[in-house]
């Protein structure tokens, strides 16, 4: 027997669970059918940096259909149909454009046997667009007012449960003291991470972003390092710690989150020692470092000896390992590498 509390309680339990995002999405698909009838359904998240949706959950759909729905023209169809804007669930009969003008329907869903549907854009309580939830029917009978009302009440809980921002923000808890952050998108650009301040080091194309992209291409899921801090006049005022965390839970939407923690501990290393240590971590020999910094190998050897002492490291290899583990080094900018 349907009661208003039953579905809300079940969907809220999924929305607030600590399960991985894809597990939450598929749990929603399984439970939703108990309260809102459908023949098939799909749940997609929107990419904050481009007009692309990624299917993260489905029920009753063939792989060929979900593959089609993952394509970029789906975003165009949702925009034309008004299903990327906040509002009540819309059926096919409610759409402001003929269904034949929407390739998602004309080229995929209708050939797959679906005649009607009920879709709703998903928004977080704070107003951020999360994605789309669509129900599909083989009959051309219009969805009832009861079905529409139930979907409208449950959709915000689904949005809350699959919000990529929620998953990304949860990752920031492992970095104490983080005050600024950005999302590194799949195309290599960045956008602000809600809930944290922005920082100029995260601007698209900056050396920090290039280093982050390089780290991810190398398969690193975590990296921490130092970067010069700047005051309001653009002058140097110490260092901040930058942390790169691969977005392993939502890789189809974002590559990583980038965080800045102020007042980084430099272990007493001078700016030049931090620079030399970064090149040691990068695998450079003393002669290569000397060439890059335009100093003598003897000078580099002296810097290496000093930084080993300050890190209590018996060798340059152990110094590099310790520096990587503690994030206590200044990495070379990819643009500055000449050897």
């Amino acid at each position: 027997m349907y009661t208003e509390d039953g579905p809300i309680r079940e969907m809220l339990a999924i929305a607030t669970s600590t399960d991985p995002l894809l597990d939450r999405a598929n749990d929603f698909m399984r439970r939703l059918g108990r309260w809102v009838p459908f023949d098939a359904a799909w749940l997609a998240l929107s990419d904050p940096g481009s007009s692309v949706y990624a299917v993260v959950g489905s029920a009753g759909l063939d792989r060929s259909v979900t593959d089609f729905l993952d394509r970029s023209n789906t975003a165009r169809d949702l925009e034309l149909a008004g299903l990327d804007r906040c509002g009540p669930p819309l059926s096919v009969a409610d759409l402001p454009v003929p269904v034949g003008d929407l390739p998602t329907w004309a080229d995929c869903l209708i050939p797959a046997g679906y005649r009607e549907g009920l879709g709703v854009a998903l928004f977080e309580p704070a107003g951020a667009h999360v994605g789309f939830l669509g129900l599909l029917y083989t009959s051309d009978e219009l969805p009832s007012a009861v079905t529409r009302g139930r979907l409208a009440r449950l959709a915000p809980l689904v949005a809350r449960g699959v919000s990529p921002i929620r998953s990304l923000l949860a990752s920031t808890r492992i970095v104490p003291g983080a005050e600024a952050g950005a999302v590194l998108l799949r195309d290599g650009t960045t956008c602000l991470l809600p809930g944290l301040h922005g920082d100029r080091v995260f601007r698209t194309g900056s050396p920090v972003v290039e280093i982050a992209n390089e780290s991810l291409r190398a398969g690193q899921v975590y990296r921490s390092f130092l970067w010069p801090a700047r005051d309001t006049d653009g002058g140097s005022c110490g260092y901040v710690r930058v942390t790169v965390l691969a977005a392993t839970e939502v890789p189809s939407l974002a590559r990583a989150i980038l965080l800045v923690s102020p007042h980084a501990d430099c272990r007493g290393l001078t700016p030049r020692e931090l620079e030399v240590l970064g090149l040691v971590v990068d695998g450079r020999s003393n002669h290569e470092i000397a060439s890059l910094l335009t100093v003598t190998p003897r000078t580099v050897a002296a810097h290496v000896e000093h930084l080993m002492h300050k890190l209590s490291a018996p060798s340059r290899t152990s110094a590099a390992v310790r520096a990587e583990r503690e994030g206590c080094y200044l990495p070379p900018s990819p643009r500055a590498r000449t050897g």
Side-chain angles (χ1 to χ4, degrees), residues 190-209:
T190 59
C191 68
L192 184 67
L193 180 61
L196 294 176
H197 298 297
D199 194 289
R200 70 182 71 186
V201 302
F202 296 143
R203 69 185 186 280
T204 297
S206 72
V208 164
V209 172

Side-chain angles (χ1 to χ4, degrees), residues 160-299:
R160 175 180 176 183
V162 298
S163 168
I165 297 301
R166 171 197 162 185
S167 299
L168 294 175
L169 286 174
S171 301
T172 67
R173 297 171 188 161
I174 70 172
V175 182
E179 294 185 356
V183 180
L184 180 59
L185 303 173
R186 290 180 299 173
D187 62 0
T189 62
T190 59
C191 68
L192 184 67
L193 180 61
L196 294 176
H197 298 297
D199 194 289
R200 70 182 71 186
V201 302
F202 296 143
R203 69 185 186 280
T204 297
S206 72
V208 164
V209 172
E210 290 189 8
I211 291 169
N213 277 312
E214 182 181 74
S215 302
L216 294 166
R217 285 193 294 269
Q220 292 180 278
V221 297
Y222 172 88
R223 187 177 183 185
S224 178
F225 54 86
L226 300 179
W227 199 256
R230 301 291 176 185
D231 59 25
T232 55
D233 296 323
S236 178
C237 58
Y239 294 87
V240 295
R241 185 175 309 285
V242 175
T243 302
V244 181
L245 295 172
T248 54
E249 193 171 345
V250 286
S252 60
L253 299 174
R255 298 192 71 197
I257 55 174
L258 312 179
L259 302 170
V260 159
S261 305
H263 314 303
D265 180 9
C266 298
R267 295 289 298 269
L269 296 167
T270 67
R272 179 60 97 181
E273 288 166 353
L274 289 170
E275 189 175 14
V276 170
L277 183 54
L279 290 165
V280 171
V281 170
D282 200 44
R284 303 287 184 163
S285 68
N286 282 7
H287 282 280
E288 289 175 317
I289 295 173
S291 177
L292 288 169
L293 300 182
T294 319
V295 297
T296 67
R298 184 175 179 178
T299 299

Side-chain angles (χ1 to χ4, degrees), residues 16 19 42 49 52 64 87 116 134 198 207 228 233 238 245 255 257 273 306 323 335:
T16 57
D19 293 339
W42 59 291
V52 175
S64 60
E116 245 309 342
D233 296 323
L245 295 172
R255 298 192 71 197
I257 55 174
E273 288 166 353
H306 293 159
R335 300 175 188 174

